């Protein structure tokens, strides 16, 4: 992302270089709130029409944007209903540019683009950008934050940002033979967690960690010296002893209408149940559904002993499932129904029958696309106590990708998706949907890598999970709560889930200053519950 100079499709594109960046990051458990001020200068001798482009990473949303110059000011509007930024005046001429930038971006998500008018020669443009983002959880429990390349452009990113603009980006940036960045960066981070902040690690120099609360629940750290010029800035934040559930409450905006998403109290719930390792030899649960495209059906038209590397990998995956689980196979592009009406228990006889049925799968009428198979799966009830996981093999980008994305996201709390992509054009879609369902996706570039990926995903899929997750709330009379986006049916070992809840109404008894939430789930047939209190009158910094 950067300023792009020139009218799209009319004159060549180039860039306005970044002069300085001030970035303030506030991390609460596994959510980051980033406020940045970026100053750009048009160092050419003529005025230009300018655009600002910002690729959105996974689980990221911009909530404030403003750009000011001597000649103009652009303020973006945050619309509650659409939950997205819209320009005050839409510029439809930029739609083709936005689609192009999204295709060229290394991120699978959206690209925020805003037209900023003209920038005179030698003049500056000050951009204020604020966004929130859910952070990934490392295997050791750390929250991982990466500063986007728009806020820290460096030699690697200028070459990768947008392929067709590589030459102009490099020319407009700096001589890459030198290691000094052509702009200044001031980066500060405030850290907060009810569990306490234990430690911070980074791939760049940091000031010493300073605690700002006696219970070590808040701390601050900053960039020390000059930032590196060769790689992204990455922070790993370690919190105190993990708990099954934690709660952070945020005040509503006093200027927003009462009862609106922005005006009400919002509750961030982090669910991270402690799940022990599975006992060796114990019967394992799980429902494993395989969706195969036409490529694999062609492999299955010959005896199983003759399957090539891809077929061998699938056969290995099927034969490695544990006793006690359930499975089914869908051969989309030929039929939208499974080889069994619903998942069956995994036994040697059922597996051999399934492999035989794959070879005789015939084309059927109706919707035989991946979307049709997904809809058929979502209509089929899963076996009680068995977490549903889909293994999807894709050999190209489906024409109905938007409908597929909507269908998967609508059911994201009911399953995980693991994608095996054999063409680059479907990798971005697979990555996005895997992220939404807390699964994984990979582009398989060679046959030799297939077995490695299969082993890795199978290991993740066989991890034990907490099942039947539910939340109950105790609030003063006059208040009720709505969980936004639903509750996941399962949480697997090593994973966490972030939930958001909106508190509506007005408390009749203002002396009650706390609410109570109880988490319940089942683990290995045992019912477990955790109860936590949270404030109803939180103190906030106005962000």
């Amino acid at each position: 992302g950067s300023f792009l100079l020139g009218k799209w499709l009319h004159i060549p594109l180039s860039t306005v270089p970044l002069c300085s960046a001030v970035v303030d990051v506030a991390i609460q458990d596994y959510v980051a709130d980033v406020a940045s001020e970026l100053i750009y200068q048009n160092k050419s001798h003529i005025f230009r029409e300018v655009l600002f482009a910002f690729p959105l990473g996974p689980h990221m949303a911009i909530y404030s944007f403003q750009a000011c110059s001597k000649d103009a000011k652009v303020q973006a509007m945050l619309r509650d209903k659409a939950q997205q930024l819209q320009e005050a005046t839409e510029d439809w001429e930029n739609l083709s540019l936005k689609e192009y930038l999204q295709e060229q971006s290394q991120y699978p998500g959206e690209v925020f683009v805003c037209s900023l008018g003209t920038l005179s020669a030698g003049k500056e443009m000050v951009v204020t950008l604020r966004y929130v983002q859910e952070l990934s959880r490392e295997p050791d429990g750390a929250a991982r934050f990466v500063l986007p390349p728009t806020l820290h452009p460096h030699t690697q990113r200028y070459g990768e940002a947008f392929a067709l603009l590589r030459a102009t980006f490099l020319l407009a940036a700096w001589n890459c033979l030198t290691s000094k960045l052509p702009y200044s960066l001031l980066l500060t981070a405030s850290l907060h967690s009810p569990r306490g902040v234990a430690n911070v690690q980074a791939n760049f120099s940091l000031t010493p960690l300073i605690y700002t609360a006696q219970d070590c629940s808040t701390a601050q750290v900053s960039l020390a010296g000059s930032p590196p010029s060769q790689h992204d800035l990455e922070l790993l934040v370690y919190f105190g002893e993990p708990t099954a559930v934690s709660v952070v409450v945020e005040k509503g905006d006093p200027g927003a209408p009462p009862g609106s998403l922005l005006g009400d109290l919002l509750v961030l719930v982090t669910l991270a149940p402690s799940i022990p390792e599975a006992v060796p030899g114990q019967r394992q649960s799980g429902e494993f559904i395989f969706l195969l495209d036409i490529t694999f059906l062609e492999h299955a038209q010959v005896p199983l002993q003759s399957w090539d590397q891809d077929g061998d990998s699938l056969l290995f995956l099927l034969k490695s499932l544990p006793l006690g689980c359930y499975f089914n196979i869908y051969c989309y592009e030929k039929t939208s129904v499974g080889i069994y009406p619903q998942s069956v228990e995994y036994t040697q006889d059922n597996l051999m029958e399934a492999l035989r049925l794959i070879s005789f799968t015939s084309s059927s009428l109706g919707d035989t696309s991946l979307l049709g198979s997904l809809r058929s799966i979502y209509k089929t009830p899963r076996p009680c106590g068995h977490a549903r996981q889909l293994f999807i093999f894709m050999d190209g980008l489906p024409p109905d990708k938007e409908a597929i994305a909507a269908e998967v996201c609508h059911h994201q709390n009911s399953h995980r998706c693991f994608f095996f992509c054999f063409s680059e054009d479907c990798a971005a879609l697979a990555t996005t949907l895997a992220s939404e369902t807390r699964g994984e996706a990979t582009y398989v570039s060679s046959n030799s890598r297939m077995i490695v990926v299969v082993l890795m995903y199978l290991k993740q899929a066989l991890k034990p999970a907490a099942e039947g997750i539910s939340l109950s709330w105790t609030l003063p009379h006059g208040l009720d709560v709505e969980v936004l986006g639903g509750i996941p049916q399962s949480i697997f070992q090593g994973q966490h889930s972030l939930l958001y809840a909106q508190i509506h109404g007005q408390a009749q008894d203002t002396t009650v200053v706390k609410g109570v939430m109880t988490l319940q789930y089942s683990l290995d047939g045992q019912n477990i519950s955790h109860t936590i209190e949270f404030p109803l009158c939180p103190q906030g910094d106005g962000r």
Side-chain angles (χ1 to χ4, degrees), residues 395-426:
D395 197 32
L397 184 63
D400 49 359
K401 60 180 181 180
E402 291 84 2
I404 290 175
E407 191 73 18
V408 171
C409 290
H410 180 69
H411 297 275
Q412 62 182 354
N413 290 319
S414 67
H415 67 306
R416 286 201 300 182
C417 291
F418 294 90
F419 288 88
F420 302 85
C421 303
F422 299 93
S423 65
E424 293 184 0
D425 57 353
C426 63

Side-chain angles (χ1 to χ4, degrees), residues 248-303:
V248 177
V249 184
E250 188 172 73
K251 294 191 301 184
D253 181 359
S260 67
L261 179 67
L262 299 179
D264 282 344
L265 284 175
L266 251 293
V267 182
L268 166 64
V269 182
T270 303
L271 303 181
S274 177
I275 303 175
E277 295 286 346
V279 178
Q282 184 181 21
R283 290 176 66 88
Q284 292 184 264
S285 62
E287 181 192 26
F288 302 89
I289 300 178
F290 302 87
L291 291 92
L292 314 179
D293 65 5
I294 195 70
T295 303
F296 285 92
L297 296 183
E298 291 173 350
H299 292 159
Q301 299 306 315
V302 296

Side-chain angles (χ1 to χ4, degrees), residues 27 29-31 135-138 140-145 235-239:
I27 295 178
D29 277 346
Y30 295 96
V31 175
L135 304 180
S136 61
R137 182 175 185 257
E138 297 295 288
D140 57 4
R144 180 175 179 265
F145 171 77
L235 276 177
L236 294 177
V237 183
Y238 293 86
F239 303 113

Side-chain angles (χ1 to χ4, degrees), residues 387-405:
R388 173 171 286 176
Q389 301 184 80
L390 309 185
F391 290 79
I392 304 175
F393 295 79
M394 301 176 67
D395 197 32
L397 184 63
D400 49 359
K401 60 180 181 180
E402 291 84 2
I404 290 175

Side-chain angles (χ1 to χ4, degrees), residues 185-207:
L185 173 63
L186 178 62
L187 172 65
T188 59
S190 58
L191 317 171
H192 171 74
S193 175
R195 295 179 283 153
V197 179
N199 188 25
V200 178
Q201 295 180 5
N203 61 353
F204 57 94
S205 298
L206 286 175
T207 60

Side-chain angles (χ1 to χ4, degrees), residues 454-477:
V454 165
L455 279 171
M456 180 176 63
Y457 285 0
L458 181 61
K459 183 178 180 181
Q460 292 188 42
L462 294 179
K463 287 185 177 182
E467 293 282 336
I469 297 169
S470 65
L471 299 178
S472 58
W473 306 76
T474 302
L475 298 171
H477 290 293

Side-chain angles (χ1 to χ4, degrees), residues 396-510:
L397 184 63
D400 49 359
K401 60 180 181 180
E402 291 84 2
I404 290 175
E407 191 73 18
V408 171
C409 290
H410 180 69
H411 297 275
Q412 62 182 354
N413 290 319
S414 67
H415 67 306
R416 286 201 300 182
C417 291
F418 294 90
F419 288 88
F420 302 85
C421 303
F422 299 93
S423 65
E424 293 184 0
D425 57 353
C426 63
L429 174 66
T431 300
T432 299
L433 298 184
S435 176
E436 290 294 330
T437 61
R438 299 171 298 280
E440 296 285 350
T442 188
Y443 166 58
V444 183
S445 57
S446 64
N447 289 339
S448 59
R449 187 169 177 263
M450 187 65 183
I451 286 288
V452 177
V453 175
V454 165
L455 279 171
M456 180 176 63
Y457 285 0
L458 181 61
K459 183 178 180 181
Q460 292 188 42
L462 294 179
K463 287 185 177 182
E467 293 282 336
I469 297 169
S470 65
L471 299 178
S472 58
W473 306 76
T474 302
L475 298 171
H477 290 293
L479 296 180
D480 59 5
V481 63
E482 175 188 2
V483 177
L484 308 177
I487 301 173
Q489 296 180 4
S490 309
I491 297 180
F492 287 81
Q493 182 190 63
Q495 291 190 324
H496 73 286
S497 182
L498 299 180
L499 307 181
Y500 302 90
Q502 184 177 359
I503 298 181
H504 305 281
Q506 189 71 37
Q508 298 178 8
D509 185 357
T510 57

